[in-house]
Amino acid sequence: MINKILIANRGEIASRIIRTCKELGIGTVAIYSEADSESPFVSYADEAYLLGGSRVQESYLNVAKILDIAKEAKVDAIHPGYGFLSENADFAQSCEAAGLIFIGPKPDVIQQMGNKVEARKKMEEAGIPLVPGFSRPLTDSMEAAAVAEKIGYPIMLKASAGGGGIGMQAITNEEELSKAFEGNQKRAQLFFGNGDMFIEKLIEKPRHIEIQVLADKFGNAVYLWERECSIQRRHQKVVEEAPSSFLDEETRRKMGEAAIKAVQSIGYHNAGTLEFLVDVNKKFYFLEMNTRLQVEHPVTEEITGLDLVEQQIKIANGEKLSFTQENVKRQGHAIEVRIYAEDPKTFYPAPGKITGLSLPEGEGIRHELAVQATSVVSHFYDPMIAKLVVSGATREIAIDRLKEALENYKVEGIKTNLPLLKEIIEHEAYYQGDTTTDFINKYIKKIKV
């Protein structure tokens, strides 16, 4: 029985998890680094323990220290949030070995789906549509060139253990591939400890659409509709919305059913997300699976009325899903924008002290915050400081509310990406739903400071 949870994360997602735990009457334990000692999530939790230094290796990736604190605090479970250790199979295994409930899928499933080559194989076995590609690691640029010739350019070079766009590059010819292979391989080895690379056919002008799923330990699974996450910069999502303005009901249903088929084929339980590329003809292809809570999960909550963190905890606690697919209704439209501490001209992180923070209020506005008016944004971590989520009865209403909210969103003392977000949302192409993955490159001019 889960009565107390340690949140193995920081920032807005830690606060988000704590909020649901409080509503459920579950005790919370925060862990924090020296740089995060004054962060809001630390005081929001029932208890808080210092992990160590500001660097992630000294704190949020320090498995031994996290488990020591969990033992000292007498928690029943650990929620990993997203990022850091959330998709680390060894961490999940260590939690289980310590007698703790890991709020997520089983370690072997995390391992399988975290490796993109292995994930492709599993989905191929399950009959899920795949982007044409080569489903085993490539040894060198010569082998990569031979495979690319068979598939046909353009292709996408990817790191097998990658994420966040690291080790990923679009390639249009053999010369580009020869130059790119070794550099991306080294980058993947540095970031993920795994330099395996593979190749997929590049789907041109695609939509990036993902399906949120929940699956319990009794074989029950549901999909909670889709999120469109096509507006990206350097393969990082910037704007997410639900539902997609592009999909028709038949494609939406087929994608949902494919996602359920996929999770049941691998014995998955807890919350997860199947990511797909969708071409201009609405043909969809499996891209990857995220075996954790997504950054953009609030838009799904807004259109379904479900609390995904609550569902995660209940599933981890051994409870059956309390609803079936027929009960999962969607209502209205929701859009999320990620607010970063970054220079809007160079896009480089812009850490520093926030000297003023004024948030918009009104119907359909939701905030997920990592900071407060006096916070110091550290250079040690991801520069995302907040998420603004706006919902309405229709996409048009949600967009209008978001435009007004962005105009009234004020962060002083540091630079942010608010100018970029305003330009995206105010663009006619966005309003018309022309949101393919090349949106920013195609439509957005260089942002002025």
Side-chain angles (χ1 to χ4, degrees), residues 339 358-360 367 369 386 388 405-411 418:
I339 298 171
S358 179
L359 303 177
H367 297 285
L369 293 169
L388 170 62
L406 287 170
E407 284 298 323
N408 292 296
Y409 206 115
K410 308 297 180 185
V411 182
L418 283 167

Side-chain angles (χ1 to χ4, degrees), residues 238-249:
V238 178
V239 180
E240 301 107 346
E241 59 184 299
S244 167
S245 63
F246 178 67
L247 295 187
D248 55 63
E249 293 301 329

Side-chain angles (χ1 to χ4, degrees), residues 326-339:
E326 291 71 28
N327 303 130
V328 182
K329 307 299 181 184
R330 70 178 193 273
Q331 184 173 3
H333 199 94
I335 307 170
E336 173 182 293
V337 293
R338 304 185 187 191
I339 298 171

